[in-house]
C-alpha cells in the first residue's frame, strides 16, 4: 500500500515541475480548473496582442499588400514546420489548413489513389474512432465502391488486415477513452499486410510524443485547437510521408495547392510536396491565433520538449487516478488504460454501479463540477436503448480499484472525461479537481435539477 | 460631347451620396485610395473590438462553454442568414463555412449527383473563369469520368448546352474583366437544356444585386473576404436551392453537417437543409470577423440596400471610365463592358498600344500607383508566349475612346484592375486615383526600376 497522496505532495510536485514556467504563457480564467484542453485549449498570453496586430496592421493597414509584407502566403507552411517539430516530422512535410475532417478527406483520398492499382477494396477502422473520421471514410468508400470495415476492439485489428485492405485508418489517442495505440507496431502491421496507415493525431499532437517518420506512417492529420491551443476552430494540419508527397493528388485541388498559384492558368498542376494539400484561401486571423498556440508549445523545447511534457502528463494522470481511487473508490471506475504506453493525456471515468453506466448521474456530475469551476466534459455512452449486457464495458466487474478498462471498445458507458494539458495544468489543480468531485458525490450535489437539464450543445 | 468632369463634380456627387454614412463604418488606411476591395475588403470599424472580445472573452474566459454561451454552434447559419439578405436568398438557405474552393467542390459534387441518373457527362464553364473553380471542376470530372468543356467566349454558351450537359458552372462577375453574366437568362437556358446552374458569386456578393431565388439558380458559392469585408481568408458561403437542399449529399460529410452532431454516432446522417453543407469545426475568430463585415454591409439596408449600392457602384465606375478617357485617352483601352447590365463593380484597363498589351508597362504602372497609395492590382494576360493575333482582345481596334471590350474571352491582355466598393469608395477618390494614373503616365514614372521588379506574390 502506498500512503495516501496529500495536498502537500501535490504542491511539492508543482514546485519540482521543470515545465512550470510554461503555465505563465497561458491565460487561465480565474476560479477555473480547466480539464478540457483536449476539447479546446486555453488562450496563449501572446495571442490577444498578436491577433490585434494581424487585425489592425496586417488587415487594416497592410490590406492586400500583407500577402507579401506579412507573409500570409507561406503561413500554412511556416506553421506546418512548427507542428512538424511536435509530431516527429521534418520541415516542409506539414501544412496547417482547413479542418481535420477536410484534411482527412484529402489524405484518405490520396491513400486510396495510391492503392488503386492494387485492387484492394477495404478501409479498416474502429467503431469507436472519432465519428467525423468515420463519416468521411464512409463517404469516400461509398463514392468509390469500397467497404469500410469497423472493428469493435483494437485486438481485432491484426486479423482485420487481410489482403483486401487498402488503408488502416486510426486515431492515435481515442477521444472518448483516452486509450493510445502503438503507432509504430500498427503501422508495421499495416505495411506487412500491404496496407497504408493513416493516422488522426487530434488527441496526440502537443499531448504525447509522436514520431511519424520513425514509425514510417503514410499520412496523418490533426487538430489545431485542442492540445495545440490554436483557438476555437483553429485550422488543422496534414502531414504526408515524403515518399508519397509528390506521388499522389488530393481532390480538393484549389488555387493554393497549385504549382504556380499566381499564374492563374486554367489547368491544375499540383505543387511539389505537401503544398498540394492546400486548397482555397485560408482564414488568416485564425491561422495567426494558431501560431500563438504553437509558439507556446514550442517554448517547451529548451525544457525537454514533448518528452518532458509526456513525463508530466503521465504524472498528472497517475495522480488523478490515485486521488479518485483514494477519495471516491466506490463510485467510479476507470475507462482509460492504466498502462502508460496505452494512455493519452486524459482520464475517463464511468460510474462503478452497473445500473448507472448509461443514463446514470455522470452527466449531472460533470455539470455540477462545471458549476464549481472544474471543467471537464461528458460523453454519452453508446446505444442507451440496447439491451444490457451487450457491451464489454458494461460487463466489467467493478471494485478492483477503478476497475479494468476496456480500451476503445464498442458499447461504452457514459463517460466523465478529464483532459490534462501538461503545459498549463498543475498537480494542485488535480488535487482540487478531485476534491470537488468528492464533494459533489458526498453531498449528492448532482441531484440538483439544474444539473439535470441538458444543453442543446454539450 | 459632355463637358469634362471636374473635381467639383466629384465632390458634389459625394455630397449627394445617400450611402456616404457607410464609409464611417470602415477603417481606411491614411494616404491610401483602396481600389482592391474585390481582392480583400477593408477593415470594418467594429471588427477590432469584436474580435478582441471573441479572443479574450469567448475563447479566453468562456472556453468550451462558449459553444453554448457565445452561440458558436449556429454561427455558420446566423452569418449565412445575413449573407442571404445580400444575394436574394431566404433565411436558412446559406451557411458560411470553409473556403470558396471547398464549397464549390461540395455543391458541384451535389449537382453532379443530382444528374447521375440522367447520364449526362459534361460540365460547361468558361476558360476565363476563376482558375480555382476550373481546378475543382477538373478534379471532380476526372474522378467521375466526366468532361469539362470550356468555352472561350460567353456567346458560345448557348450552343455548348447540349443534351450531354449536366451542369453549367459560371462565375457571375468575371474576376479579371469585370464582365457580368445575366444570371436569370443563363440559368433558364441551362434548365431548358436539362442542366443545372452552379454560380460563383465571389465578385458579386455585396457588389451587385443578386437574386438567386428569383433566378431559380440551383447552387451558389461565394467569398467572404472581398466585397463582404470579412477579413483575410474569411470563410466562404454556400447556398443551395431549397428544392435540392434535402435531396443530395455532399461528400465532405463531417460532424458539423450531421443531423445529430453531438450524438457521436458512428454512422453519417446528413442534417436537413443547407446545414449538411457544413463539414468540420470552423475557424470561429475568422467567422467573427466575417460577421463584422456583414453587419457593415447590412447597414446599407435602411439606405436602399444592394440597389442603392449598385446605383453608386455604376456611378463610380462610369466616373472612372469617363475620367480615364478624359485624362489618358491614348494610353488605355477598356476591358470591362460599358453596358451597365454587363458590368460588375470593377473596371479593368489594358494598354491601348497593341505592342504593349502583354508584357508592356501595365505591371509597372500598377506598382507606381501603389507607391502613390492608389491600390489596384495587376492580372497577367494569357499565354504571353503565344503568337500575336491569337486573341480577340489583342485584335480590338484602339482609339474609340477606351475601345470596345471583350467580355470574358480567352487571350486577354495584361490588365490593370480597379475595384470600386461602393460602401467606402467616394467620387473624390476616383478623381484622385485617375489623377495619379495620369501623372504616372505623363512622368513615365512606371519606367523606374523599382516598379519593374516582380514580387513573388502579386
Amino acid at each position: 500500500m502506498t500512503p495516501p497522496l496529500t495536498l502537500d505532495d501535490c504542491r511539492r510536485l508543482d514546485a519540482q515541475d521543470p515545465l512550470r514556467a510554461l503555465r505563465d504563457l497561458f491565460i487561465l480564467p480565474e476560479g477555473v480548473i480547466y480539464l478540457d484542453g483536449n476539447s479546446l485549449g486555453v488562450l496563449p498570453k501572446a495571442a490577444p496582442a498578436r491577433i490585434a496586430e494581424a487585425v489592425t496592421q496586417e488587415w487594416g493597414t497592410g490590406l492586400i499588400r500583407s500577402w507579401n509584407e506579412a507573409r500570409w502566403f507561406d503561413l500554412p507552411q511556416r506553421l506546418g514546420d512548427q507542428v512538424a517539430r511536435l509530431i516527429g516530422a521534418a520541415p516542409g512535410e506539414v501544412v496547417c489548413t482547413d479542418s481535420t475532417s477536410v484534411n482527412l478527406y484529402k489524405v484518405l483520398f490520396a491513400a486510396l489513389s495510391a492503392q488503386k492499382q492494387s485492387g484492394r477494396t477495404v478501409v479498416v477502422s474502429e467503431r469507436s474512432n472519432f465519428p467525423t473520421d468515420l463519416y468521411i471514410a464512409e463517404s469516400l468508400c461509398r463514392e468509390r465502391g469500397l467497404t469500410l470495415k469497423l472493428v469493435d476492439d483494437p485486438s481485432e485489428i491484426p486479423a482485420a488486415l487481410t489482403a483486401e485492405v487498402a488503408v488502416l485508418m486510426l486515431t492515435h489517442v481515442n477521444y472518448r477513452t483516452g486509450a493510445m495505440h502503438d503507432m509504430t507496431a500498427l503501422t508495421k502491421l499495416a505495411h506487412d499486410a500491404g496496407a497504408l496507415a493513416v493516422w488522426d493525431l487530434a488527441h496526440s499532437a502537443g499531448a504525447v510524443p509522436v514520431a511519424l517518420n520513425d514509425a514510417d506512417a503514410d499520412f496523418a492529420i490533426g487538430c489545431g485547437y485542442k492540445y495545440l491551443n490554436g483557438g476555437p476552430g483553429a485550422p488543422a494540419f496534414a502531414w504526408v510521408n515524403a515518399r508519397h508527397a509528390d506521388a499522389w493528388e488530393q481532390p480538393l485541388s484549389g488555387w493554393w495547392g497549385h504549382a504556380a498559384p499566381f499564374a492563374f492558368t486554367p489547368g491544375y498542376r499540383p505543387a511539389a510536396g505537401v503544398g498540394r494539400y492546400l486548397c482555397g484561401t485560408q482564414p488568416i486571423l485564425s491561422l495567426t491565433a494558431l501560431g500563438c498556440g504553437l509558439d507556446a508549445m514550442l517554448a517547451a523545447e529548451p525544457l525537454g520538449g514533448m518528452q518532458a511534457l509526456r513525463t508530466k502528463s503521465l504524472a498528472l494522470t497517475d495522480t488523478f487516478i490515485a486521488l479518485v481511487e483514494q477519495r471516491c473508490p466506490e463510485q467510479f471506475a476507470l475507462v482509460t488504460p492504466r498502462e502508460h504506453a496505452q494512455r493519452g493525456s486524459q482520464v475517463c471515468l464511468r460510474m462503478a454501479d452497473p445500473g448507472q453506466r448509461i443514463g446514470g448521474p455522470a452527466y449531472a456530475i460533470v455539470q455540477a463540477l462545471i458549476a464549481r469551476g472544474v471543467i471537464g466534459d461528458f460523453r454519452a455512452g453508446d446505444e442507451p436503448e440496447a439491451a444490457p449486457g451487450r457491451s464489454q464495458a458494461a460487463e466489467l466487474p467493478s471494485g478492483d480499484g477503478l476497475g479494468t478498462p476496456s480500451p476503445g471498445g464498442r458499447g461504452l458507458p457514459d463517460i466523465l472525461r478529464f483532459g490534462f494539458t501538461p503545459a498549463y495544468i498543475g498537480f494542485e489543480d488535480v488535487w482540487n479537481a478531485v476534491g470537488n468531485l468528492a464533494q459533489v458525490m458526498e453531498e449528492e450535489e448532482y441531484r440538483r435539477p439544474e444539473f439535470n437539464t441538458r444543453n442543446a450543445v454539450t
Side-chain angles (χ1 to χ4, degrees), chain A residues 205-218:
Chain A
V208 299
V210 178
L212 286 170
N213 277 320
D214 285 352
D216 198 29
D218 296 288

Side-chain angles (χ1 to χ4, degrees), chain A residues 355-429:
Chain A
Q356 293 183 332
R357 284 177 196 168
I358 287 186
Y363 175 84
I365 294 167
V366 170
Q367 300 309 310
L369 283 171
I370 290 172
R372 286 167 163 271
V374 180
I375 301 183
D377 63 27
F378 168 80
R379 288 288 176 259
D382 292 334
E383 308 153 34
E385 75 283 5
R390 85 208 132 70
S391 89
Q392 291 189 310
E395 289 301 290
L396 286 172
S398 65
D400 171 24
L402 290 186
T404 310
S406 156
R410 176 168 75 164
L412 284 165
D414 286 348
I415 279 170
L416 301 88
R417 191 175 76 151
F418 302 97
F420 296 86
T421 307
Y424 53 77
I425 294 297
F427 295 90
E428 191 171 340
D429 294 327

Side-chain angles (χ1 to χ4, degrees), chain A residues 136-156:
Chain A
I136 293 290
E138 186 186 323
S139 167
L140 275 171
C141 285
R142 186 176 51 237
E143 183 61 22
R144 293 171 154 246
L146 307 176
T147 302
L148 176 62
K149 183 176 161 56
L150 302 181
V151 302
D152 288 333
D153 193 89
S155 62
E156 301 166 31

Side-chain angles (χ1 to χ4, degrees), chain A residues 212-227:
Chain A
L212 286 170
N213 277 320
D214 285 352
D216 198 29
D218 296 288
F219 297 87
I221 48 104
C223 178
Y225 55 82
K226 297 177 186 287
Y227 292 96

